[in-house]
Amino acid sequence: MSTATVTMSPFTPSATAAAGSAGATRLRLTRRGRVVLTSLAAIPLVVGALFFALNGGGAVATGDQVNVQFHYVTVESGQSLWSIAETVAPSADPRDVIADIVSLNQLESAVVSPGQRIAIPSQYER
């Protein structure tokens, strides 16, 4: 009986396959795999964003009515918001008082006309 010896070249396909399987295998993602992985990661983020957008922050509206009484001042000839602010809140900064009055009355500017009624914020009432 004769024995045959088979020698393999280091560059044959079976030799490189054997050498590759002996080491650590590498994970290779295809384009489709990256799309699937990205989609799976994005779904919880999208669901969370929709939940918070539709939840509205948890504010609850009630049917309770609150009666708020405002103190009103009628603007006289020669008066400005600065002079009114100094009158109603002498210890406060007039710029802050004017900003609060403009905001409360939804004025477009700090210019007022004689005869105009202006609501004074409750923190400045005497």
Side-chain angles (χ1 to χ4, degrees), residues 60-126:
V60 178
T62 62
D64 298 339
Q65 292 183 355
V66 178
N67 291 333
V68 178
Q69 297 289 331
F70 291 109
H71 176 72
Y72 287 92
V73 172
T74 303
V75 179
E76 296 177 10
S77 180
Q79 270 189 327
S80 64
L81 280 182
W82 189 274
S83 62
I84 293 171
E86 288 179 331
T87 304
V88 297
S91 62
D93 185 2
R95 293 170 292 199
D96 294 335
V97 178
I98 291 171
D100 291 340
I101 290 173
V102 168
S103 175
L104 176 64
N105 292 283
Q106 298 178 352
L107 300 174
E108 292 179 11
S109 68
V111 178
V112 290
S113 304
Q116 186 176 359
R117 279 188 75 194
I118 296 178
I120 305 298
S122 59
Q123 71 251 28
Y124 301 120
E125 290 180 18
R126 294 185 229 172

Side-chain angles (χ1 to χ4, degrees), residues 38-48:
T38 303
S39 299
L40 288 175
I43 287 173
L45 296 174
V46 171
V47 169

